[in-house]
Amino acid sequence: MSYYTTDVYEIKREITIFSSKISKNLKKATSNFVLDMQYGIAKKTSVLTTEIARALDEGIKLKNTSERLCDNMENIEEDEIETIKNNYYAIIRENVFIDKDDKVVVLFDDSEIAKPYGKKFEDLCRVRDASQPKTTLVNGYHVCEAVALSSNNKQPIPLYSYIYSTDSNGHKSMPDETIKSLDAMKTILKHPISGIFDRGYDSNTFFKYFAEHPDDDFVIRLKGNRNVIVKGHEVLVSKMAEDRKGKVNMTLFFESENKEVKLSHTRVGLPCIEGSKKAYTIIFCYGLSEEEPLLLITNRHVNDKKDVITIVREYFYRWRIEENFRHTKSEYDWENMRVRTLKKMNVLNLMLMIRVGHVALMANKVDESLLAIKMIERSKSLRADVCVWIYQITRGIKEALAYAQKGIQRFKRIEKRKPSRQLEIWEFL
């Protein structure tokens, strides 16, 4: 039996409680703005301010509500944004996955917001349109993203998401934006990190960065044209892969099926890092592709085959950040945001990141939270045996809130003022 009224009340209360934690130490106007955004995005699964305004159903002109939300995005102060982020991070730190070396596994990647027909947006630059089969450059923005894994069932929890343009004043380079995200992780997590990177990060810039920060680990997928130092000589890693054979057996779930792969590893140095004769380990993974093996490099200490298997398995958690991108783009129509300034975009992006983070925290407790189970049932998904629950919970919340007759106004802290004593005096005159 479906209890629509109960479900609507419970999910409204859940959003209100979470928003109150995010809004701790903020002034009332900003707290109400955060609650409005969290509820509106959850109900409409959209980043359009008009759709969020419709979800609030305030009984006034839609245009007035939409303009108020836009004004709040533009006028919110930087210290208030930092307070919101710190409150969010305080919740996230208690729910992230920590590996056996007592480090937080963080997945890094870049995405883009394509605006092929945009003309009035601030500092539009050229980005690659990933939706096209061939490499196509269109107007848009770059997005630097970092995602952690939840402690229970490895759900992707967004930690860092920043929209930027290469045409903005003061912009240095795309690697510089990634370095900023790496530095931010130390403040956010207050913990050493183990960063997982795709081959787009096979760069001397990042190897030098981690050489200067030895407390942090990395696993980076290498390109075949990378030179490494073996026995005092520079060797092409693709040539090394041809001369080796995998001795460690492993089963990987890859492209919707289990595959038997073979692993091999060796210690090497990097020409760009002085004194690194055997400071790094290259792992060769054979069997995923007939064309070439998967090549990984790490600064971790690898003692036996268990360590090799652990590193490869953690690298393949990297597809969870791809799921995070896909989730925001498909479920929340992320690329369709129409606010025009970069500040508004990043404030709206922050509100969406917090919303997705809340969903991920609910997914992390899917085995013990009755509300999360009810939202999954409401999503009416075809499959029940999934690894990532954020899609189902997002759709379940939207389906439940579709029965809401009113907005979130009744859940706000509304100040009740005492009647004016001056009015009482006039009554006796």
Side-chain angles (χ1 to χ4, degrees):
M1 181 179 294
S2 297
Y3 298 95
Y4 296 103
T5 304
T6 302
D7 290 350
V8 169
Y9 173 77
E10 287 183 354
I11 195 61
K12 280 187 175 183
R13 183 182 62 183
E14 175 70 19
I15 292 172
T16 303
I17 293 173
F18 185 77
S19 296
S20 66
K21 295 177 181 178
I22 300 300
S23 304
K24 186 178 179 182
N25 299 324
L26 292 175
K27 58 187 180 182
K28 188 169 69 171
T30 308
S31 299
N32 289 338
F33 166 68
V34 172
L35 178 56
D36 286 343
M37 295 297 292
Q38 292 302 299
Y39 176 77
I41 294 173
K43 182 174 180 178
K44 292 296 186 177
T45 59
S46 174
V47 290
L48 293 177
T49 55
T50 51
E51 289 299 307
I52 296 171
R54 285 189 178 93
L56 297 178
D57 192 19
E58 294 183 331
I60 60 176
K61 289 183 178 180
L62 182 69
K63 180 181 178 182
N64 293 344
T65 304
S66 179
E67 288 179 349
R68 173 174 60 81
L69 295 175
C70 290
D71 289 343
N72 283 329
M73 291 182 209
E74 186 64 35
N75 298 328
I76 189 170
E77 299 175 0
E78 289 300 324
D79 60 337
E80 292 179 313
I81 294 175
E82 288 303 313
T83 300
I84 292 171
K85 290 180 179 179
N86 291 334
N87 290 337
Y88 173 69
Y89 298 145
I91 300 172
I92 296 303
R93 278 194 293 269
E94 301 174 358
N95 294 275
V96 295
F97 168 69
I98 300 176
D99 65 13
K100 65 183 185 65
D101 295 324
D102 199 34
K103 297 180 179 180
V104 180
V105 176
V106 183
L107 319 174
F108 294 86
D109 205 354
D110 288 330
S111 184
E112 63 285 321
I113 296 177
K115 293 290 184 183
Y117 307 109
K119 295 181 180 179
K120 299 296 184 179
F121 295 96
E122 180 185 4
D123 292 341
L124 278 172
C125 62
R126 302 294 282 175
V127 300
R128 183 177 63 87
D129 189 354
S131 63
Q132 300 297 327
K134 296 183 179 180
T135 302
T136 305
L137 294 180
V138 298
N139 289 338
Y141 298 96
H142 297 280
V143 184
C144 185
E145 191 110 1
V147 169
L149 300 173
S150 64
S151 54
N152 290 341
N153 45 28
K154 310 298 185 301
Q155 301 298 298
I157 305 179
L159 291 176
Y160 183 94
S161 184
Y162 181 68
I163 301 170
Y164 66 94
S165 169
T166 54
D167 290 345
S168 295
N169 292 332
H171 173 77
K172 294 182 180 179
S173 65
M174 294 178 65
D176 182 66
E177 295 296 337
T178 303
I179 296 298
K180 289 179 183 178
S181 69
L182 286 165
D183 290 334
M185 290 302 102
K186 297 173 177 55
T187 305
I188 292 170
L189 297 170
K190 299 181 179 179
H191 223 278
I193 68 169
S194 180
I196 310 295
F197 303 85
D198 201 10
R199 55 184 153 193
Y201 296 88
D202 180 3
S203 167
N204 292 343
T205 300
F206 300 114
F207 293 130
K208 291 177 181 179
Y209 174 87
F210 281 102
E212 296 170 358
H213 299 80
D215 292 337
D216 299 319
D217 292 343
F218 69 81
V219 177
I220 298 177
R221 183 176 177 180
L222 285 177
K223 299 175 184 176
N225 60 356
R226 163 67 61 177
N227 283 333
V228 295
I229 299 175
V230 179
K231 296 181 180 180
H233 301 284
E234 290 192 20
V235 183
L236 202 64
V237 291
S238 58
K239 179 61 177 176
M240 291 179 63
E242 294 174 359
D243 298 336
R244 303 184 67 86
K245 295 182 179 179
K247 296 182 179 180
V248 179
N249 296 320
M250 180 183 180
T251 302
L252 272 177
F253 185 76
F254 181 72
E255 294 183 348
S256 303
E257 61 178 329
N258 288 323
K259 289 194 174 184
E260 298 295 329
V261 299
K262 292 184 178 294
L263 310 176
S264 179
H265 69 283
T266 186
R267 300 287 287 178
V268 299
L270 290 173
C272 63
I273 307 296
E274 295 183 3
S276 64
K277 291 183 178 180
K278 290 188 177 181
Y280 304 95
T281 299
I282 289 185
I283 299 174
F284 306 89
C285 181
Y286 303 89
L288 291 178
S289 171
E290 296 180 358
E291 298 177 359
E292 58 183 14
L294 177 73
L295 307 172
L296 303 177
I297 188 169
T298 180
N299 60 346
R300 294 190 196 178
H301 295 290
V302 178
N303 298 318
D304 50 33
K305 66 178 184 180
K306 290 183 179 180
D307 291 339
V308 176
I309 292 173
T310 298
I311 290 170
V312 173
R313 198 173 299 282
E314 286 188 6
Y315 172 78
F316 276 89
Y317 281 134
R318 205 199 69 80
W319 71 270
R320 300 292 172 99
I321 194 171
E322 302 290 349
E323 291 290 348
N324 183 68
F325 287 138
R326 189 179 305 157
H327 174 244
T328 53
K329 289 184 178 182
S330 63
E331 298 297 325
Y332 294 96
D333 202 13
W334 183 45
E335 289 187 304
N336 199 26
M337 63 170 66
R338 297 182 190 177
V339 290
R340 295 182 179 181
T341 67
L342 278 169
K343 179 179 180 180
K344 288 182 181 179
M345 287 183 193
N346 275 301
V347 172
L348 182 56
N349 191 45
L350 174 62
M351 293 296 107
L352 177 58
M353 184 184 78
I354 292 172
R355 177 90 298 272
V356 175
H358 185 202
V359 171
L361 293 176
M362 292 178 66
N364 189 44
K365 299 179 180 179
V366 70
D367 296 328
E368 56 189 69
S369 170
L370 179 59
L371 181 59
I373 295 172
K374 289 166 71 174
M375 292 302 104
I376 291 173
E377 291 177 352
R378 287 225 173 273
S379 69
K380 300 177 182 178
S381 300
L382 293 175
R383 293 183 56 187
D385 56 334
V386 297
C387 299
V388 178
W389 296 101
I390 53 178
Y391 294 93
Q392 285 87 335
I393 293 178
T394 296
R395 294 168 189 165
I397 292 173
K398 180 181 180 180
E399 198 276 339
L401 290 178
Y403 293 91
Q405 299 297 317
K406 297 291 183 180
I408 201 70
Q409 190 73 19
R410 294 182 180 179
F411 284 76
K412 293 180 180 178
R413 291 178 295 143
I414 300 176
E415 181 181 353
K416 295 182 179 180
R417 298 182 179 180
K418 295 181 180 180
S420 173
R421 296 179 62 85
Q422 187 68 32
L423 294 177
E424 295 178 5
I425 295 174
W426 280 102
E427 290 179 359
F428 294 98
L429 295 179

